Amino acid sequence: MNFINCRFFKMPSFNQEINMDLNSNENGALKTDAKDGKIDETQYVSADQVSNNAPVGLNADQRLAFALRDFLSPSTATLSDGEPSPSALSQTLPFIDEQVDADDATQSDEEPPHRDTEDVLNNAACRLRRWRAASRKLRRPRIINNLSTKDDKDGNVSKACNSGHTDLADRLRSLAAAGSMSASAGELLSLAPPPPAATAPPSPGCLLSPSLADQSSAEYFGSSPECCADSVGLEISSNVGTPAPPPGPRYKLATEGSLRVCCFQHTRTVVDKILAAKFLRRWETHVLCLEDQHIISKTPSGLLESPLSYSCMQEVYCISRWDPARKYCLRIVMPHGSLLLQANDAYTRDQWYHSIVWRRNIIRYRNFLTKTVRREVVLKELKNMVDFVMTTPLQDESVTRAPLQILTDLLSEKKENADWEEWAENATSVAAPLLAERCASGELCALLARLCRRRPRAAPLPALAPPVRRVLTRNVDFARAPNARRLVRDYISALSAHNSGSALVRRFVEVTHGSRASCPYPRAAPNLAAVALAALDDHYRDTPSPHVCDDAEEEVLCFADILEHMCEYEDWVVVVGAVLQPVPLCSAAMNCPRVAKRLGNVLRALAHDSRCAAHSCVAPARAARVCPPSWLRSAAPSDPMLAIPHQELCQIWGDMLGSLLNCCCNRKSFLQSMSKQLPDFVLVALTEHPAALEALCLMLEWEVTSGEQTQLEIIAALQGTELGQKYYKDLCERQQNLQRLQAEGGPRRLALPVRATDADVAALLEAGALGNLECLSLAFTSVTSACAHHLIKLPSLRYLNLWATKFGDSGVQLIAEHLPRLQVLNLCETPVSDKGIEALSGLSNLRRLNLNSTKLSAEAFEVLRQRLPQLQEYDIRYTEAW
């Protein structure tokens, strides 16, 4: 009975070292060294124990190869009409004596060539013998000394496999080390390219295809309310199964560079001899250019007279055995030779390595995916391409275009077929990670929008969410990208087409804004508002009048909901108001009750906002502007354009009016510009809205309206309600007191003590005759803006000192409107800000102004100086304008 030398198929214990000497003869022994003493022991295993099905009459090498026959069988990868799959190129082990040609790599639908068992075993035996010969020629040390060791917590020494696979010697060393770790026989028989590393990631021929990442609901959400649930509290790791580049530096795609080149002819079995030869030192310097199909030299002479095609490259990897000598080399294996590229540093070498690997495999993926007919094969290789793109350390704009163009070509083929939607849905789902990281082109956006239109309830919403968000957050001008806007619009329509469409649309707005207090993307809000307004305008532009509601409106109501949901975020209210200020909607859209109801909620949000930038958007941008109208004109109760009930419309219009009256604008000039809408003031005042009643009283007090008949109409409107009668009574009393103070005269100068309050100011002005008071000092008192209602009863006031008081913006606004003769104003160390200081521009007689230690900004001060040309002295120390 024949016996062969074989190791037991079990893991070695920690106190045992296993030495495998590849330099021994075929009947060598397995040596076991124990810690208590070295014992040379030869263990023989019967051939029957190697394989129960081994044929009779085989030699020792053939029997060992027959035991590993599972790894020598032809690849089971599915082939198609085109060339073989790029991910399966390294699975088939070529026979040791056959020449591998790039033209022979293309296979058809025919069965692969059948190999007899004898041929397979002879090939494996030949491999084993040549590996042993190569090991002896290199004079390798014992395998156990090449293992990298590290100490664990208990002080034990554990063996780790050396991952520095480069040339044949390094691979033999690592594969033998892997044998002591009970590695699979396939690793021992194959010449696999290097594993993923920071400086040498895998060649695409042996790419792994990890599963797609489990996306969180904040990034991807599907068609059910459960998918839109908030992900807070869910412990889902975003890195599980996510294809990601290896750790290390990132590179730009190399296009041109100066490298040293060395070329030699050889066969794959004698590479180790040639690498050690002395005549290998003949190098040439070339300026290489990486083009789409091949590598060329700008000086085509010597070793690179003809271009080097990517399709002829069998293998590309870095040679790490020369790194200690600072020879940063890159090896390209061709069918009849090898090419060595030497760079100046490791970074440049790795950059060229990744660039060559990228171009080589993108060509293979493009040829395979465009020529294959069977869709299941295309989807499998499309996933492999996506994983390859996601794991490459290259970060370049040109790198992102190629895979997306391949996806676009796949979706563009056979668009008119009946099953195109199903095919596009599957391809888009597979390419979801790629769409999440890369910007989609206009053509691809058009294809994805077409999928959403044709199958809104079956569209892969999780895969389309990232490109839609990318369009919203990064697009600058939709006029130049109409397909991108169409994608966003159709995606929102697909969301609303589901049973839980309203919840999905709200969740979409929430995810687009983000979880922060303010959205980090300044372009997201105007882009989203532009998409919503364009959709509403397209639907209602040609609608006949009068408006009649129909079922087709359900498709566009979601865009009105988006405008309403956007106003739920404080930072987006200003953006929505600025976009809506010119009233971009057509009359047919505002005549629709369902659309008008949602627009009414938007106007409420603008009116109730305390910021001038928000509530001022409902007023005309310019005085007396007719077209386009403002929202004060569109929502006017006398002739409304919005189809909202009268009582609700009066409330909205009064809220907008109240915000503008309390704003920092000049109320007198504002009421003068609104004098033509006096019927609207009267209608809202009859509903007892405080803002309208106050506006009518101010019109009477400042004589904004001309004509006795108009004043009588205002008085009648005020006396029509109980609250209006109270406002009118207060107005009459204020006018009588003002006339009495002016008639009685009194002192010209007055200073209140430090402990004076607002109540003391009110009592003093009501009891005494101060009609001639010109100078009033309230410095260092406890008065606030509430006393401004009493200060405006002093028409002769010229000098006002409010140093170190709590007088704020609202008080400054009142005195600026009612004390036009004021010449000197001291606001030092008061809490006034730009909002109140800008109101001082109405004091045309102001000569001296003290704004020391206030919240004055440089911009507000420049505006104030331009509007007050007669200002002679000012103090702005300890402010931003100083």
Side-chain angles (χ1 to χ4, degrees):
M1 180 179 297
N2 296 327
F3 293 89
I4 64 173
N5 180 15
C6 179
R7 66 179 178 87
F8 287 113
F9 293 94
K10 65 178 182 178
M11 289 291 293
S13 60
F14 287 101
N15 59 355
Q16 185 182 22
E17 295 181 352
I18 296 180
N19 296 333
M20 180 181 293
D21 192 359
L22 296 182
N23 297 328
S24 61
N25 55 13
E26 297 180 359
N27 296 328
L30 181 69
K31 301 179 181 181
T32 303
D33 296 342
K35 289 186 177 180
D36 52 355
K38 295 185 178 179
I39 303 176
D40 295 339
E41 180 180 357
T42 302
Q43 299 176 352
Y44 295 94
V45 183
S46 174
D48 297 334
Q49 294 177 335
V50 175
S51 177
N52 296 331
N53 300 325
V56 181
L58 301 180
N59 57 26
D61 289 339
Q62 290 178 342
R63 286 180 176 275
L64 180 58
F66 193 88
L68 307 175
R69 64 188 183 279
D70 294 336
F71 302 94
L72 296 174
S73 59
S75 175
T76 58
T78 306
L79 300 177
S80 61
D81 309 66
E83 63 182 28
S85 163
S87 61
L89 288 176
S90 64
Q91 296 179 4
T92 304
L93 295 176
F95 276 61
I96 205 71
D97 296 326
E98 68 180 354
Q99 296 293 334
V100 181
D101 194 359
D103 299 335
D104 297 334
T106 305
Q107 299 184 16
S108 61
D109 290 336
E110 300 179 358
E111 295 292 334
H114 177 69
R115 300 285 187 179
D116 295 337
T117 304
E118 185 69 21
D119 296 338
V120 175
L121 297 178
N122 288 336
N123 176 65
C126 184
R127 280 176 175 273
L128 292 175
R129 287 194 298 270
R130 293 191 179 187
W131 283 341
R132 289 170 181 153
S135 176
R136 288 194 296 269
K137 292 294 183 182
L138 292 174
R139 294 184 177 91
R140 290 170 55 263
R142 299 172 63 184
I143 298 300
I144 195 64
N145 296 330
N146 293 323
L147 296 176
S148 60
T149 61
K150 59 180 181 179
D151 297 338
D152 55 13
K153 296 181 179 180
D154 298 332
N156 299 326
V157 178
S158 59
K159 304 296 184 290
C161 178
N162 183 10
S163 60
H165 297 268
T166 52
D167 54 4
L168 182 59
D170 291 335
R171 296 185 187 185
L172 286 173
R173 184 182 299 110
S174 298
L175 290 175
S180 66
M181 298 295 291
S182 183
S184 62
E187 298 177 2
L188 192 60
L189 290 179
S190 64
L191 289 176
T199 58
S203 63
C206 63
L207 282 176
L208 299 177
S209 299
S211 60
L212 298 181
D214 295 331
Q215 302 294 340
S216 61
S217 62
E219 182 69 21
Y220 291 163
F221 51 89
S223 58
S224 61
E226 292 78 8
C227 298
C228 297
D230 194 0
S231 59
V232 177
L234 298 180
E235 297 180 357
I236 301 178
S237 175
S238 59
N239 297 326
V240 178
T242 303
R250 298 294 178 261
Y251 309 94
K252 188 177 180 66
L253 183 65
T255 57
E256 182 179 332
S258 178
L259 298 176
R260 301 185 66 194
V261 180
C262 180
C263 182
F264 52 87
Q265 304 293 330
H266 68 89
T267 58
R268 293 174 62 95
T269 57
V270 293
V271 180
D272 53 335
K273 297 181 180 179
I274 297 180
L275 289 178
K278 294 183 179 180
F279 66 86
L280 191 60
R281 298 176 182 174
R282 178 171 166 266
W283 295 84
E284 294 180 0
T285 302
H286 288 265
V287 178
L288 302 182
C289 298
L290 294 184
E291 297 188 349
D292 294 337
Q293 300 294 333
H294 45 257
I295 303 176
I296 64 173
S297 174
K298 283 194 171 182
T299 56
S301 61
L303 301 177
L304 290 178
E305 293 182 357
S306 59
L308 184 63
S309 177
Y310 299 115
S311 59
C312 297
M313 298 180 184
Q314 295 181 349
E315 196 173 357
V316 180
Y317 57 87
C318 301
I319 303 179
S320 63
R321 63 175 295 183
W322 286 359
D323 284 351
R326 296 185 179 180
K327 297 180 179 180
Y328 307 104
C329 292
L330 174 68
R331 179 186 176 190
I332 302 176
V333 180
M334 307 296 291
H336 304 291
S338 290
L339 185 70
L340 296 183
L341 305 180
Q342 185 178 7
N344 295 329
D345 50 62
Y347 184 87
T348 305
R349 178 200 62 187
D350 295 341
Q351 180 185 13
W352 277 79
Y353 166 75
H354 294 297
S355 301
I356 294 175
V357 168
W358 168 264
R359 294 187 180 275
R360 172 186 175 220
N361 287 275
I362 283 298
I363 293 175
R364 291 183 176 179
Y365 278 120
R366 181 184 295 110
N367 295 336
F368 181 81
L369 293 175
T370 55
K371 295 179 181 179
T372 306
V373 177
R374 299 190 328 200
R375 291 184 174 179
E376 62 274 8
V377 179
V378 174
L379 292 177
K380 178 181 178 181
E381 291 307 319
L382 179 62
K383 181 180 183 302
N384 293 335
M385 185 193 70
V386 171
D387 293 342
F388 167 63
V389 173
M390 300 301 296
T391 53
T392 180
L394 294 177
Q395 293 183 351
D396 193 276
E397 182 180 358
S398 57
V399 174
T400 64
R401 289 196 299 263
L404 286 178
Q405 186 60 41
I406 295 175
L407 177 62
T408 304
D409 296 340
L410 290 177
L411 296 180
S412 300
E413 295 177 355
K414 302 178 181 180
K415 292 193 299 184
E416 305 304 328
N417 291 359
D419 58 343
W420 180 86
E421 290 81 6
E422 182 180 358
W423 157 245
E425 179 182 351
N426 296 332
T428 304
S429 300
V430 172
L434 182 61
L435 295 174
E437 296 294 333
R438 316 295 182 187
C439 296
S441 60
E443 184 180 0
L444 182 57
C445 289
L447 293 171
L448 298 179
R450 183 173 185 257
L451 176 61
C452 292
R453 289 194 304 271
R454 293 202 172 189
R455 301 184 66 176
R457 298 179 66 90
L461 300 182
L464 296 178
V468 169
R469 289 190 58 205
R470 187 176 293 272
V471 169
L472 290 175
T473 56
R474 301 190 181 184
N475 186 69
V476 177
D477 187 7
F478 274 132
R480 300 181 180 179
N483 292 329
R485 183 178 65 180
R486 186 69 184 183
L487 171 61
V488 179
R489 174 179 173 178
D490 293 335
Y491 176 81
I492 296 174
S493 298
L495 284 178
S496 63
H498 292 79
N499 296 333
S500 57
S502 58
L504 288 175
V505 172
R506 178 185 288 272
R507 178 60 177 163
F508 171 73
V509 177
E510 179 183 353
V511 171
T512 304
H513 179 273
S515 58
R516 301 180 183 178
S518 60
C519 181
Y521 307 105
R523 296 299 310 169
N527 286 338
L528 188 57
V531 171
L533 292 175
L536 292 172
D537 186 76
D538 291 345
H539 181 81
Y540 290 100
R541 177 60 62 183
D542 300 328
T543 303
S545 181
H547 176 77
V548 178
C549 295
D550 54 5
D551 296 337
E553 288 181 350
E554 296 292 340
E555 300 178 359
V556 296
L557 290 179
C558 60
F559 297 100
D561 291 334
I562 285 180
L563 295 176
E564 183 180 356
H565 297 330
M566 291 179 66
C567 293
E568 298 176 0
Y569 301 95
E570 184 178 359
D571 58 321
W572 277 6
V573 173
V574 179
V575 178
V576 174
V579 174
L580 295 181
Q581 186 172 13
V583 190
L585 297 174
C586 58
S587 58
M590 291 188 289
N591 289 333
C592 175
R594 291 187 283 186
V595 175
K597 179 181 179 180
R598 292 163 171 81
L599 292 178
N601 296 331
V602 174
L603 295 180
R604 287 192 187 92
L606 293 174
H608 294 162
D609 197 291
S610 59
R611 295 169 295 177
C612 296
H615 58 246
S616 60
C617 294
V618 300
R622 294 187 301 271
R625 186 184 65 177
V626 179
C627 185
S630 64
W631 287 107
L632 283 175
R633 178 65 190 88
S634 301
S638 60
D639 185 18
M641 301 177 63
L642 287 174
I644 298 179
H646 178 75
Q647 190 70 20
E648 184 178 355
L649 191 64
C650 290
Q651 183 66 31
I652 295 175
W653 199 86
D655 293 342
M656 293 189 294
L657 180 62
S659 298
L660 293 174
L661 288 177
N662 297 326
C663 182
C664 61
C665 63
N666 193 328
R667 295 194 295 179
K668 187 174 182 179
S669 60
F670 170 70
L671 291 177
Q672 288 175 347
S673 64
M674 295 289 295
S675 59
K676 295 181 179 180
Q677 292 187 243
L678 182 60
D680 299 319
F681 285 91
V682 174
L683 290 176
V684 178
L686 293 177
T687 62
E688 296 188 346
H689 198 287
L693 296 174
E694 182 183 1
L696 292 177
C697 292
L698 292 176
M699 287 182 178
L700 291 176
E701 181 179 359
W702 293 335
E703 298 181 357
V704 173
T705 58
S706 61
E708 183 179 356
Q709 183 63 30
T710 304
Q711 294 180 355
L712 291 177
E713 292 178 2
I714 295 176
I715 294 174
L718 291 173
Q719 293 179 348
T721 59
E722 295 183 1
L723 185 60
Q725 294 176 2
K726 181 179 178 181
Y727 272 80
Y728 183 66
K729 182 179 179 181
D730 294 340
L731 174 62
C732 294
E733 293 179 356
R734 186 165 64 251
Q735 292 292 334
Q736 292 175 1
N737 293 333
L738 181 61
Q739 294 175 2
R740 179 176 56 83
L741 290 175
Q742 291 178 350
E744 294 179 357
R748 294 181 179 273
R749 297 176 178 271
L750 182 63
L752 270 66
V754 176
R755 296 183 179 180
T757 61
D758 294 336
D760 299 331
V761 175
L764 178 63
L765 295 179
E766 290 178 358
L770 301 175
N772 295 332
L773 187 63
E774 297 180 357
C775 181
L776 177 62
S777 177
L778 300 176
F780 303 102
T781 62
S782 301
V783 299
T784 63
S785 298
C787 71
H789 295 280
H790 304 284
L791 296 179
I792 61 178
K793 300 177 182 179
L794 304 174
S796 302
L797 196 62
R798 304 288 191 276
Y799 175 91
L800 180 59
N801 189 355
L802 297 171
W803 189 1
T805 60
K806 298 179 180 179
F807 209 80
D809 294 332
S810 59
V812 173
Q813 179 182 349
L814 279 176
I815 63 176
E817 294 175 353
H818 295 82
L819 300 176
R821 299 181 181 180
L822 198 63
Q823 297 179 359
V824 179
L825 180 61
N826 189 349
L827 295 174
C828 179
E829 298 182 12
T830 57
V832 294
S833 61
D834 293 344
K835 181 178 180 180
I837 294 174
E838 289 177 357
L840 297 177
S841 58
L843 297 176
S844 58
N845 295 322
L846 196 62
R847 300 293 186 272
R848 299 169 59 186
L849 179 62
N850 190 344
L851 297 175
N852 190 325
S853 303
T854 59
K855 300 178 181 179
L856 175 66
S857 64
E859 295 79 5
F861 180 68
E862 290 297 330
V863 173
L864 190 63
R865 289 188 60 186
Q866 294 176 2
R867 295 180 180 179
L868 296 177
Q870 298 183 5
L871 188 63
Q872 300 174 357
E873 299 181 12
Y874 54 84
D875 187 357
I876 57 172
R877 291 177 296 175
Y878 307 107
T879 63
E880 294 182 3
W882 187 30

